[in-house]
Amino acid sequence: MTTARIHDFFATRRPASPCLVVDLDVVHDNYKAFEKALPDSRIYYAVKANPAPEILRLLATLGSSFDTASVAEIEMALEAGATPDRISFGNTIKKERDIARAHELGISLFAVDCVEEVEKVARAAPGARVFCRVLTDGEGAEWPLSRKFGCVPAMAVDVLAQAARLGLDAYGVSFHVGSQMTNLDAWDKALADARMVFEAMLEKGIQLKMVNMGGGFPTRYLKDVPSAQAYGRAIFDALRKHFGNRIPETIIEPGRGMVGNAGVIKSEVVLVSKKSDNDNVRWVYLDIGKFGGLAETMDEAIRYNIVTDRDGDASEPCVLAGPTCDSADVMYEKNPYPLPLTLTVGDEVLIEGTGAYTTTYSAVAFNGFEPLKSYVI
Amino acid sequence: MTTARIHDFFATRRPASPCLVVDLDVVHDNYKAFEKALPDSRIYYAVKANPAPEILRLLATLGSSFDTASVAEIEMALEAGATPDRISFGNTIKKERDIARAHELGISLFAVDCVEEVEKVARAAPGARVFCRVLTDGEGAEWPLSRKFGCVPAMAVDVLAQAARLGLDAYGVSFHVGSQMTNLDAWDKALADARMVFEAMLEKGIQLKMVNMGGGFPTRYLKDVPSAQAYGRAIFDALRKHFGNRIPETIIEPGRGMVGNAGVIKSEVVLVSKKSDNDNVRWVYLDIGKFGGLAETMDEAIRYNIVTDRDGDASEPCVLAGPTCDSADVMYEKNPYPLPLTLTVGDEVLIEGTGAYTTTYSAVAFNGFEPLKSYVI
């Protein structure tokens, strides 16, 4: 998963460790794969996954739209060349003044999940299109979404009806099956719920137009995952099953699936040690950890693929930890990570599949360490 | 715990939300309380808790020394007016080139917890003083330290003996009872271990000189905690018990205890909603969360005191969440937080006891949100 271009960059540029390198060719291929797999869906790249300007510019050129979480992300998407009609303000939790600012910038598509949010949008962005996020159970996702976003389908009907009453365009529903979702049936269940909302709204005389199928498209970490095309087929089948010949406009919001496998973090082994002479587990400390960009190892949720020059030597499971003075800065301890016994201080390791949710997750200055440096090539 | 000075700052300056305000008078009082409670110990402020230049300058003026985690923190302490002899490089996980840089800057006191680290220090900072961190069990701490730092006492003897062989000054031992430790007996157990190491080293003809008793001094969150003086007494009694009339030089490294209760975060309610009509728990979304500075709510470890203008109205437990599109950005869900039923969008809330581990923990740009702003008054 470390491409030849990335290998070449490390070899010739020798950037200081730790750093992330993202290969735009992989992002390009991912975009094309999504386009091919779901030719009838519009692609809204989830900017939060990696807002590097080079990535946004490439995707804008390819024709992508953008899912944004804040005014700052809206501005980045505009800066990259996206027109306002290609930008969705997809955060269900927005300050009214941020909605107003987005409206000023020309954004006309907003996520909501309760009447209180609809009221804010009606006041600050009159006439805008809104879609209501519906709760799904997210079973099968490696990074489960809990109940933070969305409401039950029955409530979504009330929310959208209220939107229409307040002069907004009740435009559709959204769901998110959970990040890094590997269970293809998850979309079927969510689309059944979406159709229910469409029907209930039609009974009120309102024709919804769009289903936002969110993200959840996985990147390959250690396990193989179904390819984008298998996802596409499963989703198209579910759409056909629930909406028959009246398939609505659909959008998808890949984030991790667009950039995850495009990035590799180079890190350095700072220390390898044991806690006692008769300890049977080594501790391997890297110069990057939970607070330097690998926040998604929280609860050991995401297990990255780690490559060393000593792979092939005898290995043993190790505890893998970061360089800060924070005891929570341990990445894999419950499920220790097998690493070569010969691995030693100063060795370089590559942490693959780290293009998403790393640079922006990194702490601003924890323990005095700088945020993760990033190179987009 | 929101001081009159902080209230006045909010009232007159009306800073944008979210932000942290730290009252230097409280830091001053905390320093004096530590000095009074442990008059024979040198105070090394743990810079990582809050490295704001104003705080470092105040403490440097008061005579504090500094415990640092990185070269950047060493430079901040020097900048604030501390001389190199008042700075300890307290991270047990250091790159050799960072040790060399610290040595160049005049730092001569280093933490280690294994032979591999001793070898780096011997090469990069010849002749320096080293202390070896010993594992304690950290029982009773709200933010437990796991086994990431330190080695068992028997191994500490080998580590310090090796340091002496390599020409370093085997200076002492350190321990850390765990952050926010409220069990006064924890120090007794750790000091018993420290004495064991002193005796074993003496048998090798090496007289250790120092015990670094680390941090762990709690700040007041929701529960009352023993005062600094009670801590001082308990620690002095334990030192007397284990070292008799030959009490070594001691240092302490308060971080949270020095600045935690000096800071208050002002936040704004962005949304209050339910997930379904028959839900009996409300979701309250603030404009700050786990990625904006409240990382220590991870696993609901730290429970901050939250003050609203509506306190006194009927209240009910709520799920409390942050503003990002990340489902992990939920602060209190397993143990919902009681908040007034009248609390509504746009209300201001004060999150008290947030002077430590907030500004530097905040993500650099997650979801496009800026890092936490901070004012030191």
Side-chain angles (χ1 to χ4, degrees), chain A residues 120 148 270 285 326 361, chain B residues 120 148 270 285 326 361 367:
Chain A
K120 285 191 257 174
K148 184 175 175 189
V270 183
Y285 300 90
D326 196 305
Y361 253 128
Chain B
K120 286 191 257 172
K148 183 175 175 189
V270 183
Y285 300 90
D326 195 306
Y361 254 126
N367 276 220

Side-chain angles (χ1 to χ4, degrees), chain A residues 263-339:
Chain A
V264 176
I265 284 173
K266 169 180 151 172
S267 174
E268 179 182 320
V269 176
V270 183
L271 189 62
V272 181
S273 67
K274 289 190 169 190
K275 299 295 166 185
S276 71
D277 283 332
N278 49 15
D279 221 350
N280 52 14
V281 65
R282 288 169 305 146
W283 282 65
V284 173
Y285 300 90
L286 301 180
D287 63 0
I288 188 170
K290 225 179 235 177
F291 302 103
L294 302 178
E296 294 207 313
T297 57
M298 210 191 288
D299 300 327
E300 311 197 7
I302 299 273
R303 200 166 169 90
Y304 295 108
N305 192 40
I306 298 176
V307 176
T308 82
D309 287 341
R310 303 183 193 270
D311 292 347
D313 292 1
S315 74
E316 252 177 25
C318 309
V319 178
L320 196 69
T324 67
C325 285
D326 196 305
S327 59
D329 187 11
V330 176
M331 293 167 286
Y332 305 119
E333 184 172 16
K334 272 175 265 170
N335 293 302
Y337 201 102
L339 287 170

Side-chain angles (χ1 to χ4, degrees), chain B residues 297-316:
Chain B
T297 57
M298 209 192 287
D299 299 328
E300 311 197 8
I302 299 274
R303 200 165 168 90
Y304 295 108
N305 192 42
I306 298 176
V307 177
T308 81
D309 287 342
R310 303 184 193 269
D311 292 347
D313 291 1
S315 73
E316 251 176 25

Side-chain angles (χ1 to χ4, degrees), chain A residues 113 147-152 155, chain B residues 274-276 279 283 285:
Chain A
D113 69 357
R147 299 168 64 238
K148 184 175 175 189
F149 310 103
C151 61
V152 299
M155 190 184 250
Chain B
K274 289 191 170 189
K275 299 294 165 187
S276 72
D279 220 350
W283 283 65
Y285 300 90

Side-chain angles (χ1 to χ4, degrees), chain A residues 145-215:
Chain A
L145 287 178
S146 84
R147 299 168 64 238
K148 184 175 175 189
F149 310 103
C151 61
V152 299
M155 190 184 250
V157 176
D158 297 337
V159 168
L160 289 166
Q162 179 66 4
R165 268 192 296 275
L166 294 176
L168 294 169
D169 183 355
Y171 199 66
V173 298
S174 74
F175 56 80
H176 197 297
V177 292
S179 197
Q180 187 69 0
M181 169 59 72
T182 54
N183 174 9
L184 289 171
D185 294 335
W187 275 269
D188 181 66
K189 158 110 187 46
L191 283 167
D193 286 343
R195 183 211 179 179
M196 238 181 60
V197 178
F198 268 63
E199 287 185 350
M201 290 302 292
L202 208 52
E203 281 169 27
K204 292 176 185 281
I206 298 167
Q207 174 69 59
L208 298 180
K209 303 175 193 74
M210 185 265 284
V211 176
N212 175 344
M213 301 188 289

